[in-house]
C-alpha cells in the first residue's frame, strides 16, 4: 500500500470512530436530534399561537365595529336578555 492510501484508511477509520462516539454519547448527535425535535415542536406551537392570536384580533375587531356581534357575544357569554324576553334553560340528564 502506498502511504497516501494508508493515510486515507487511517482518516476513514478515525472518521468512523468519531461518528460512532458522537452517536453513542448523550451529548453528541442524539442530543442534537432531541434539540432539533424540540425546536420543531416549538415552531409548531408558535404557529398555532399565531393563528389563535389572529382569530382573537379578528374577534376583537368585530366586537368593536359590529353591534350585532357585540350583542350576540354578550348574550352568549354573560347571559343577558332583552326586556320582555323569556329564557328557557333546557338541560339533559
Amino acid at each position: 500500500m502506498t502511504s497516501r492510501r494508508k493515510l486515507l484508511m487511517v482518516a476513514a477509520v478515525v472518521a468512523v470512530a468519531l461518528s460512532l462516539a458522537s452517536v453513542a454519547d448523550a451529548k453528541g448527535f442524539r442530543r442534537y436530534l432531541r434539540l432539533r425535535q424540540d425546536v420543531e415542536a416549538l415552531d409548531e406551537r408558535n404557529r398555532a399561537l399565531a393563528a389563535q392570536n389572529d382569530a382573537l384580533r379578528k374577534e376583537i375587531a368585530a366586537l368593536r365595529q359590529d353591534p350585532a356581534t357585540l350583542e350576540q357575544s354578550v348574550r352568549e357569554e354573560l347571559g343577558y336578555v332583552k326586556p320582555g324576553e323569556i329564557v328557557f334553560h333546557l338541560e339533559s340528564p
Side-chain angles (χ1 to χ4, degrees):
M1 270 187 171
T2 65
S3 63
R4 182 176 179 165
R5 190 168 210 162
K6 287 180 185 178
L7 184 61
L8 185 60
M9 288 294 277
V10 169
V13 168
V14 168
V16 168
L18 289 175
S19 296
L20 290 174
S22 176
V23 169
D25 184 20
K27 291 185 179 181
F29 191 70
R30 289 187 299 169
R31 181 171 185 246
Y32 165 75
L33 290 177
R34 189 179 66 245
L35 290 174
R36 190 168 134 201
Q37 289 174 343
D38 290 347
V39 167
E40 289 173 4
L42 289 172
D43 285 342
E44 179 61 33
R45 180 160 165 76
N46 282 343
R47 281 191 290 276
L49 289 173
Q52 184 180 9
N53 284 342
D54 288 340
L56 290 172
R57 280 189 193 99
K58 289 177 184 177
E59 183 180 349
I60 289 169
L63 290 170
R64 286 182 178 163
Q65 297 170 358
D66 187 15
T69 303
L70 180 61
E71 179 183 344
Q72 178 185 359
S73 179
V74 168
R75 287 172 167 269
E76 289 175 0
E77 294 181 22
L78 302 177
Y80 279 31
V81 294
K82 289 182 179 179
E85 286 184 333
I86 300 172
V87 177
F88 294 98
H89 291 282
L90 303 174
E91 295 181 18
S92 60

